[in-house]
Amino acid sequence: MTLSFSYGVSSDKLNHTSFSGNFKFGSMKQSRRMRLVPVCRAAASVVFRDLDADDFRHPLDKQNTLLLRAIPGLNDLGRALLGTVTEQIMVLENIGTSVLVSKNQLPELHQLMTEAAEILNLEAPDLYVRQSPVPNAYTLAISGKKPFVVVHTSLVELLTRKELQAVLAHELGHLKCDHGVWLTFANILTLGAYTIPGIGGMIAQSLEEQLFRWLRAAELTCDRAALLVSQDPKVVISVLMKLAGGCPSLADQLNVDAFLEQARSYEKASSSPVGWYIRNAQTRQLSHPLPVLRAREIDAWSRSQDYASLLKRAMKMNTVHTF
């Protein structure tokens, strides 16, 4: 089963989940060399040795996953429509022009991925770096094969090492939560339904709305995975801020607290009946929640009892494991 997830900002088209394997990436002229500084995980980092996906899954993710599971025949239809040839095209398209990260190739990035996977109690997937001017990262899960994450060079340039590790953790969250099954099946069914005359279009439109709702909820879950690894909400929020309007030359002038205040003002402005209607119309066809909404969500969860309990339980287990 093939699936790609994207970390990037909202899109009204599922370009990053295309089953044709036709990913279009432009070349990028770099004004400076990609610099990687040595990374060493802080001694205080907590490892979640018994972490289960439902420990951090967002309630909307749980709710919308149940809705997808209720669609009759989705599993069987998805397996029938997606074959090994399509899978092979996806694999070759994505790794043929990328650099495979390892201990001997971009070792700092390899360390970031290894550490993030260890914290989330998950086997690390392969990691590739791909030349692209579009800051993005995505995950491909292939049935019977090791999944892999692809990170664009422009994202590496844009983010600090801690922020980049948060992005990798976000991608790992999709794997931890097994999001691949439902996104793949729903996407294929949507594409297939559009080919059916008459009622097929109505079915596709309804399913597409369900798909986008689920996608937005899944992104909120994976932002939580990013927080579990970074263990600093400002790191995750900084990533969202930079994806919304950051660039390397302005990075040192960006202010996370100001962005959070902006998020609060959006929340206030959209709380009226008219604002609520506009907000829903604005996000209805987006694959990702708005960056300001994601920032507010992760800020709130970082202050929640659920997050505090997860940290407390993990610290207790780490103490026992040490002895």
Side-chain angles (χ1 to χ4, degrees):
M1 191 58 54
T2 306
L3 167 71
S4 85
F5 293 104
S6 167
Y7 189 86
V9 294
S10 301
S11 170
D12 58 356
K13 294 182 180 180
L14 286 176
N15 291 332
H16 56 279
T17 53
S18 168
F19 291 93
S20 66
N22 185 23
F23 292 87
K24 297 181 180 179
F25 298 103
S27 61
M28 179 175 67
K29 295 181 179 179
Q30 291 181 308
S31 59
R32 59 191 176 91
R33 258 172 131 184
M34 188 186 304
R35 297 197 248 326
L36 295 179
V37 297
V39 178
C40 182
R41 191 176 66 206
S45 293
V46 176
V47 177
F48 299 88
R49 302 185 187 282
D50 65 339
L51 185 67
D52 184 79
D54 286 335
D55 290 337
F56 64 94
R57 196 187 300 270
H58 195 281
L60 290 176
D61 186 0
K62 295 179 182 179
Q63 176 185 335
N64 285 284
T65 297
L66 290 176
L67 291 175
L68 288 180
R69 284 176 176 167
I71 299 175
L74 181 61
N75 193 317
D76 295 336
L77 182 58
R79 294 184 186 280
L81 290 176
L82 185 62
T84 56
V85 174
T86 305
E87 290 182 348
Q88 194 67 14
I89 291 173
M90 294 286 286
V91 172
L92 294 177
E93 175 68 20
N94 281 278
I95 70 175
T97 57
S98 305
V99 175
L100 175 61
V101 175
S102 67
K103 291 181 180 179
N104 301 318
Q105 182 74 276
L106 301 174
E108 283 86 8
L109 291 183
H110 180 265
Q111 183 181 353
L112 290 177
M113 174 62 86
T114 301
E115 290 175 353
E118 179 187 356
I119 292 172
L120 293 176
N121 191 30
L122 184 71
E123 181 182 356
D126 287 334
L127 175 62
Y128 289 86
V129 176
R130 184 166 188 170
Q131 188 75 226
S132 174
V134 181
N136 200 10
Y138 54 89
T139 302
L140 284 169
I142 311 295
S143 59
K145 297 180 182 179
K146 190 175 183 179
F148 60 89
V149 173
V150 178
V151 177
H152 290 178
T153 50
S154 53
L155 189 66
V156 177
E157 293 285 354
L158 180 63
L159 304 179
T160 66
R161 298 286 81 77
K162 288 184 179 180
E163 292 166 354
L164 186 56
Q165 187 173 55
V167 169
L168 297 178
H170 176 102
E171 299 304 319
L172 289 173
H174 285 304
L175 296 175
K176 183 76 176 180
C177 295
D178 200 22
H179 283 155
V181 175
W182 305 112
L183 180 56
T184 303
F185 293 166
N187 200 9
I188 293 173
L189 186 56
T190 299
L191 295 174
Y194 272 121
T195 65
I196 303 174
I199 195 171
M202 296 174 60
I203 295 173
Q205 184 177 1
S206 175
L207 181 58
E208 187 176 63
E209 290 180 4
Q210 283 189 332
L211 171 61
F212 278 119
R213 279 197 299 269
W214 178 85
L215 273 172
R216 293 191 294 270
E219 291 301 311
L220 297 178
T221 291
C222 294
D223 286 344
R224 292 182 172 189
L227 177 59
L228 290 177
V229 170
S230 68
Q231 295 165 29
D232 181 353
K234 286 194 173 184
V235 171
V236 182
I237 295 169
S238 181
V239 173
L240 299 170
M241 176 178 61
K242 287 182 177 180
L243 288 174
C247 64
S249 63
L250 298 177
D252 60 347
Q253 300 181 52
L254 291 170
N255 187 311
V256 169
D257 292 327
F259 188 68
L260 268 177
E261 187 57 38
Q262 176 184 335
R264 296 186 188 101
S265 67
Y266 180 88
E267 193 78 20
K268 184 178 180 180
S270 61
S271 61
S272 67
V274 174
W276 180 88
Y277 177 82
I278 295 173
R279 171 176 163 175
N280 279 274
Q282 185 181 23
T283 60
R284 188 176 181 180
Q285 292 299 315
L286 297 180
S287 60
H288 290 57
L290 296 174
V292 290
L293 297 181
R294 293 171 70 180
R296 283 287 286 142
E297 280 283 337
I298 204 63
D299 180 59
W301 195 63
S302 72
R303 304 171 189 272
S304 70
Q305 185 60 44
D306 288 344
Y307 176 65
S309 297
L310 271 178
L311 284 176
K312 184 177 180 180
R313 188 182 78 190
M315 286 188 287
K316 184 177 180 180
M317 288 199 66
N318 287 347
T319 302
V320 173
H321 183 81
T322 301
F323 288 101

